[in-house]
Amino acid sequence: MHGNPMPDSYVYVTEEGVTRHYADGSVEALAWEDVVEVRVVTESGSDVLYILLDRDGEGCVVPRSATDATFLARLRYLPDFDLDRLTLAADSVHDGVVVVWRSPDPPSALPDLEYD
């Protein structure tokens, strides 16, 4: 059989939200109206991850390699979202997690998350 190997996940971006389907059948989804924080995770030798979180700290992990102009355009609808800040964090040579956007009315605290 020829062709590209099956990717480990698919990301769908709509006007309603973002959904990531994993090869094992699991799904992460978050409505845009529920997003209260956007984080960027960088790690040497790995894809940059965009983490979208809701008030309960639940959310959707979106690899940069799975994004397109639609995803970035939709982020701009978040109040006062700074696309330049997102780009700077994603292009960072330092490993780490950066909060690039927080809702003007965020919850008191979101949990620190562990990333694999």
Side-chain angles (χ1 to χ4, degrees):
M1 201 164 163
H2 298 292
N4 295 329
M6 181 85 152
D8 67 347
S9 67
Y10 295 93
V11 175
Y12 297 99
V13 177
T14 66
E15 287 299 313
E16 290 77 36
V18 61
T19 304
R20 182 175 179 187
H21 295 266
Y22 291 86
D24 67 3
S26 61
V27 176
E28 293 175 343
L30 188 60
W32 290 114
E33 66 188 25
D34 295 332
V35 176
V36 297
E37 189 170 287
V38 178
R39 298 177 183 181
V40 174
V41 179
T42 54
E43 188 176 300
S44 311
S46 295
D47 197 359
V48 172
L49 302 175
Y50 302 124
I51 314 296
L52 309 177
L53 296 170
D54 67 12
R55 292 188 179 282
D56 298 323
E58 300 292 322
C60 189
V61 178
V62 179
R64 179 166 59 178
S65 61
T67 64
D68 60 13
T70 304
F71 177 76
L72 297 175
R74 187 55 190 87
L75 285 174
R76 296 175 113 168
Y77 285 102
L78 297 171
D80 298 320
F81 190 85
D82 185 345
L83 198 54
D84 291 334
R85 182 177 166 102
L86 176 83
T87 302
L88 284 172
D91 292 342
S92 172
V93 295
H94 303 289
D95 293 351
V97 179
V98 176
V99 174
V100 295
W101 179 83
R102 191 170 280 145
S103 169
D105 183 30
S108 56
L110 286 172
D112 289 330
L113 304 174
E114 295 292 322
Y115 304 100
D116 294 327

